[in-house]
């Protein structure tokens, strides 16, 4: 153990440029002992630390030695088939010690102080982000976003449903995150909807292009296509759709086309902040086609949906019951 610690000390001195001629000679001998030793030493000689790290080198020494000591066997002495490339070796070795390398890395690509916009109203809420991207939130939806985009990627997060009109900037890609998928945007207009009740995410593209990533699968969308991710079975697929069906809410409309009563109920629940119960079970699968303005009263919509059918409804406070007569 003592001999290995000696080598760790030498590597540390090499890293902070405080190595003596005698120590440098010892490292040269050590380099000849194994091909990987030479690769690692060459990498260290090409690295420049940031001024902050150099100034605080001694303060960091103990934590550096601890991490190097823990991982040195994996990096130096283990048998590997593929020869270590200098850049790959530097990343693997030095990132594991927690050292910031100005030679390889820029300022950490992270966003801080995310703001939260919740749409608790009964109408659409919109916001213009710092890059001029416009985001419209459906009722009951939430957007998390930075006050100002400072990282390489413009990252936001959505819960619920939102329509994006993204400002094109190829140097700073726009990324929308949900709990299940990541959408990389290339300057476009699209709708994204998450549904926690059935673990389903729908991304519908109106204009431009985007990629949808989920687990190990990914798809690219063209205008008029929709990506659907089913989290329960981890499936990601895409299909052609009528985009007007999925953007009706953005245009302050309900647009139902052969929609089941159950799905209609879910949309009405969201818009009117109510709960709808449908009995018996088979009634949920009856279909309806029609258009409504989102400002129409709930009673008017329910009356038309159930008109001419052997169905009825009751409304008590925030509870609605749709039933067979």
């Amino acid at each position: 153990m003592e001999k290995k610690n000696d080598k760790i000390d030498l590597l540390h001195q090499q890293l902070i440029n405080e190595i003596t001629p005698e120590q440098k000679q010892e490292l040269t001998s050590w380099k000849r002992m194994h091909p990987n030793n030479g690769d690692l030493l060459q990498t260290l000689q090409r690295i420049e630390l940031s001024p902050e790290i150099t100034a605080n080198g001694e303060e960091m020494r103990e934590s550096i030695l601890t991490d190097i000591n823990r991982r040195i066997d994996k990096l130096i002495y283990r048998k590997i088939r593929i020869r270590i490339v200098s850049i790959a070796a530097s990343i693997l070795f030095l990132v594991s010690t927690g050292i910031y390398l100005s030679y390889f890395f820029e300022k950490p690509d992270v966003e801080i102080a995310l703001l939260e916009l919740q749409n608790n109203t009964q109408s659409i809420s919109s916001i213009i982000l710092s890059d001029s991207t416009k985001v419209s939130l459906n009722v009951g939806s939430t957007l998390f976003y930075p006050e100002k985009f400072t990282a390489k990627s413009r990252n936001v997060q959505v819960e619920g449903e939102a329509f994006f009109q993204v400002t094109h900037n190829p140097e700073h890609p726009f990324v929308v995150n949900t709990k299940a998928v990541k959408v990389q945007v290339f300057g476009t207009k699209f709708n994204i909807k998450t549904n926690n009740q059935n673990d389903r995410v729908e991304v519908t593209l109106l204009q431009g292009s985007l990629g949808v990533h989920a687990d190990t699968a990914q798809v690219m969308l063209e205008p008029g296509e929709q990506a659907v991710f089913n989290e329960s079975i981890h499936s990601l697929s895409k299909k052609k759709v009528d985009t007007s069906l999925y953007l009706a809410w953005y245009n302050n409309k309900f647009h139902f086309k052969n929609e089941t009563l159950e799905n209609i109920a879910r949309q009405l629940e969201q818009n009117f902040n109510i709960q709808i119960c449908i009995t018996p079970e088979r009634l949920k699968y009856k279909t309806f086609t029609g258009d409504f303005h989102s400002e129409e009263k709930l009673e008017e919509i329910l009356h038309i949906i159930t008109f001419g059918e052997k169905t009825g409804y009751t409304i008590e406070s925030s509870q609605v019951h749709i039933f067979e007569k």
Side-chain angles (χ1 to χ4, degrees):
M1 179 66 70
E2 186 62 28
K3 289 184 178 180
K4 185 167 70 174
N5 286 339
D6 288 344
K7 297 301 181 295
I8 295 171
D9 282 333
L10 291 176
L11 290 171
H12 172 258
Q13 296 301 111
Q14 170 76 16
L15 188 62
I16 63 175
N17 295 320
E18 292 185 0
I19 193 167
T20 65
E22 292 78 14
Q23 289 173 326
K24 184 175 293 187
Q25 180 62 40
E26 187 176 351
L27 271 183
T28 300
S29 300
W30 174 77
K31 179 180 71 173
R32 299 191 184 101
M33 294 172 60
H34 194 284
N36 291 339
N37 295 355
D39 290 332
L40 184 59
L41 185 58
Q42 185 179 16
T43 296
L44 290 175
Q45 291 170 339
R46 295 173 57 188
I47 291 173
E48 295 177 9
L49 295 178
S50 66
E52 292 83 1
I53 295 301
T54 302
N56 295 282
E58 281 304 312
E59 294 181 10
M60 297 181 64
R61 184 176 184 275
E62 290 303 319
S63 62
I64 290 173
L65 291 181
T66 299
D67 281 340
I68 293 178
N69 185 52
R70 180 164 50 89
R71 298 171 182 254
I72 194 75
D73 286 334
K74 295 181 180 179
L75 294 169
I76 298 175
Y77 295 107
R78 69 176 179 177
K79 294 182 180 180
I80 57 176
R81 289 186 171 182
I82 302 175
R83 195 176 177 187
I84 300 175
V85 179
S86 61
I87 293 179
S90 68
I91 293 174
L92 181 61
F93 176 75
L94 294 166
V95 168
S96 69
T97 67
I99 300 174
Y100 174 87
L101 304 177
S102 60
Y103 183 83
F104 286 102
F105 303 105
E106 297 179 1
K107 185 179 180 179
D109 190 9
V110 294
E111 297 285 4
I112 58 174
L114 289 180
L115 304 178
E116 180 178 349
L117 175 62
Q118 288 185 331
N119 183 5
N120 296 322
T121 70
Q122 295 303 307
S123 60
I124 297 172
S125 292
S126 296
I127 185 174
I128 305 294
L129 304 181
S130 63
D131 65 339
S132 298
T133 290
K134 182 179 180 180
V135 185
S136 299
L137 290 177
N138 202 351
V139 176
S141 301
T142 304
L143 174 71
F144 300 91
Y145 65 99
E147 182 176 5
K148 185 177 181 180
F149 293 109
T150 59
K152 289 182 179 179
S153 297
R154 295 171 288 164
N155 285 273
V156 300
Q157 183 174 341
V158 168
E159 295 177 359
E161 185 168 24
F163 180 68
F164 286 83
Q165 301 177 68
V166 177
T167 300
H168 183 63
N169 186 344
E171 295 182 357
H172 298 280
F174 197 93
V175 178
V176 181
N177 297 281
T178 75
K179 292 181 179 179
V181 304
K182 179 170 70 174
V183 180
Q184 186 166 358
V185 185
F186 307 102
T188 188
K189 296 181 180 180
F190 69 99
N191 191 74
I192 183 168
K193 181 178 183 180
T194 66
N195 191 327
N196 293 330
Q197 291 181 339
N198 58 11
D199 296 325
R200 181 184 176 95
V201 180
E202 297 173 348
V203 182
T204 308
L205 181 60
L206 182 67
Q207 177 183 312
S209 63
L210 52 79
V212 180
H213 307 262
D215 294 337
T216 58
Q218 61 182 28
V219 296
M220 293 295 298
L221 296 186
E222 296 180 356
E225 292 184 333
Q226 181 186 81
V228 178
F229 178 69
N230 189 321
E231 189 174 4
S232 61
I233 59 175
H234 294 279
S235 70
L236 178 65
S237 60
K238 70 175 181 178
K239 60 183 178 180
K240 285 282 187 180
V241 295
D242 179 357
T243 57
S244 64
L245 294 174
Y246 301 92
L247 294 175
W249 71 269
Y250 177 71
N251 296 312
N252 292 307
K253 293 181 179 180
F254 292 111
H255 184 54
F256 304 129
K257 184 177 181 180
N258 293 321
E259 195 71 74
T260 65
L261 193 55
E262 182 179 32
N263 288 339
I264 292 174
R266 299 292 83 81
Q267 295 184 52
L268 296 179
E269 284 179 334
Q270 181 179 5
N271 191 77
F272 292 100
N273 193 26
I274 57 171
Q275 289 184 338
I276 299 179
C277 175
I278 303 174
T279 56
E281 185 75 15
R282 63 177 177 271
L283 189 57
K284 295 180 179 180
Y285 305 104
K286 280 187 171 291
T287 60
F288 175 84
T289 297
D291 293 331
F292 302 94
H293 196 279
S294 61
E295 293 182 359
E296 290 189 55
K297 293 182 178 180
L298 176 62
E299 293 89 335
E300 296 173 349
I301 297 175
L302 290 173
H303 178 73
I304 294 174
I305 289 175
T306 60
F307 181 76
E309 300 286 342
K310 294 181 179 180
T311 56
Y313 68 91
T314 59
I315 301 178
E316 295 181 8
S317 183
S318 60
Q319 301 284 330
V320 175
H321 183 206
I322 299 177
F323 54 89
E324 281 188 337
K325 291 181 179 179

